[in-house]
Amino acid sequence: LRLLTLISCGTRGLADAVFGPRKTSEQNLARILAARGSLGPGMLLLADRNFCGYPVIAPLAATGADLLIRAKAGMVLPVLEALPDGSAATVLPDPVASQRRYHRNRRRRRRGSTLPPDTATLEGIPVRLIEADITATPGHGPPRTEHYRLITTILDPDQAPASQIAALYAQRWESETSYRELKTFLRGPGRVLRSRDPAGIEQETWALLCACQLIHATRASAARTAALDPDRISYTVTLRALRRTITTTPATPRHATHAEILSQLLPPRRSRSCTRAPHTTTARRRHARTPDGHITYQITITPPRTPTGPAP
């Protein structure tokens, strides 16, 4: 099955989840999630470039939540105004309006009209465009630079400067850790769902999600009692402590469970990185997982690389 979750970057707690057959697209699942009512004003949603299209962003933005999404390199985003922080005001065009203008201009050319083509700003969602070069310098090895294009519905650069937006986007990778916890630590590596019918698979998936949420809630509760960042609380230690709590008669008190969890804290999160190798062999991919050691980052906001003015 294909699973899409809405998680908290701080605690990795599950706010909502949708899933369907493997052939279901993530974009359709995102639209279902937007209609659930889990998103609302005061929230900031981070998403990768698989969700940067207008058909997905429109229902997400309609919930009232602010969005921060990575844009694809080939997206045409007209620069309407350069902003003081290095970002730019732009618009995510409505594809229906784009098609309508395209056919209107084509009819003009066929008729031999002397009128110039319509190049007015298209209808769509107003967003800010932030482009940045992020350079990662490891303790050993050459530095790596990657270009990022980000769009956000936070239009005021004073409220969210471009440099802060670029640094904040790294928090989206907490979702990858969350999926690893759910698929590897909780379910077990290499294991598949036991059910063989749709109703049973749905029930088993919700059971796994509920168990995962229980673990995250316990992690957050233990971190709160010790005034710690939840990143210091180990997911696997919490999982083992809860298993012992449930299987022990009489049940272990909550304070004893918290004490066991807090006795095995993780070290403060280190600034490190692994080189991405998406198109290679399994052996090279495993070798690439070796951390590069201590790493420093430099974010350079660059002028938008799209042409100035409305899109043709």
Side-chain angles (χ1 to χ4, degrees), residues 8-77:
S8 169
C9 292
T11 63
R12 296 196 291 274
L14 298 169
D16 205 345
V18 291
F19 54 88
R22 188 177 179 182
K23 63 181 179 181
T24 306
S25 71
E26 291 181 335
Q27 291 80 10
N28 287 337
L29 293 176
R31 286 189 283 268
I32 295 173
L33 189 66
R36 287 273 190 87
S38 302
L39 291 167
M43 300 177 67
L44 175 63
L45 175 67
L46 312 182
D48 65 16
R49 50 191 163 191
N50 194 34
F51 303 95
C52 68
Y54 182 93
V56 178
I57 291 181
L60 291 174
T63 64
D66 292 315
L67 308 180
L68 172 55
I69 300 178
R70 186 175 181 182
K72 295 181 179 180
M75 286 189 67
V76 178
L77 296 170

Side-chain angles (χ1 to χ4, degrees), residues 18-291:
V18 291
F19 54 88
R22 188 177 179 182
K23 63 181 179 181
T24 306
S25 71
E26 291 181 335
Q27 291 80 10
N28 287 337
L29 293 176
R31 286 189 283 268
I32 295 173
L33 189 66
R36 287 273 190 87
S38 302
L39 291 167
M43 300 177 67
L44 175 63
L45 175 67
L46 312 182
D48 65 16
R49 50 191 163 191
N50 194 34
F51 303 95
C52 68
Y54 182 93
V56 178
I57 291 181
L60 291 174
T63 64
D66 292 315
L67 308 180
L68 172 55
I69 300 178
R70 186 175 181 182
K72 295 181 179 180
M75 286 189 67
V76 178
L77 296 170
V79 176
L80 305 180
E81 179 187 0
L83 300 175
D85 65 337
S87 62
T90 182
V91 63
L92 189 65
D94 183 349
V96 175
S98 299
Q99 286 292 323
R100 187 164 55 243
R101 188 172 74 176
Y102 169 77
H103 291 296
R104 183 168 59 250
N105 286 336
R106 187 174 65 171
R107 287 194 298 269
R108 284 182 178 179
R109 290 193 298 268
R110 286 181 175 178
R111 294 196 307 265
S113 174
T114 58
L115 294 175
D118 183 6
T119 58
T121 303
L122 286 169
E123 303 173 11
I125 303 172
V127 295
R128 279 171 62 212
L129 173 63
I130 297 104
E131 299 202 20
D133 289 328
I134 301 180
T135 302
T137 305
H140 52 82
R144 304 188 305 271
T145 300
E146 186 173 357
H147 187 73
Y148 278 75
R149 301 181 77 207
L150 304 171
I151 56 175
T152 179
T153 55
I154 304 177
L155 304 180
D156 186 0
D158 294 331
Q159 181 184 0
S163 57
Q164 293 185 12
I165 288 288
L168 176 64
Y169 182 74
Q171 293 296 319
R172 193 204 65 80
W173 287 96
E174 295 290 344
S175 63
E176 308 298 336
T177 303
S178 178
Y179 280 121
R180 181 169 180 249
E181 293 165 346
L182 173 64
K183 297 166 63 177
T184 303
F185 299 145
L186 183 60
R187 186 190 63 175
R191 294 185 58 185
V192 297
L193 300 181
R194 295 170 295 177
S195 304
R196 292 296 180 267
D197 61 88
I201 291 174
E202 182 176 356
Q203 183 183 32
E204 192 172 353
T205 302
W206 282 119
L208 281 171
L209 292 170
C210 289
C212 188
Q213 178 72 335
L214 173 63
I215 298 169
H216 286 311
T218 305
R219 287 178 65 247
S221 177
R224 186 168 55 251
T225 59
L228 292 172
D229 191 313
D231 289 339
R232 298 290 307 278
I233 308 299
S234 169
Y235 183 89
T236 53
V237 169
T238 307
L239 173 60
R240 290 193 293 266
L242 283 177
R243 281 174 174 165
R244 279 190 286 273
T245 299
I246 294 171
T247 57
T248 301
T249 304
T252 306
R254 175 181 295 185
H255 65 85
T257 303
H258 284 179
E260 179 181 351
I261 295 171
L262 294 173
S263 66
Q264 305 177 62
L265 294 177
L266 295 173
R269 182 171 289 185
R270 291 165 289 177
S271 181
R272 57 181 183 172
S273 174
C274 292
T275 305
R276 297 188 65 186
H279 304 294
T280 184
T281 63
T282 301
R284 291 179 180 176
R285 190 178 298 112
R286 287 174 179 171
H287 177 72
R289 291 176 184 169
T290 304

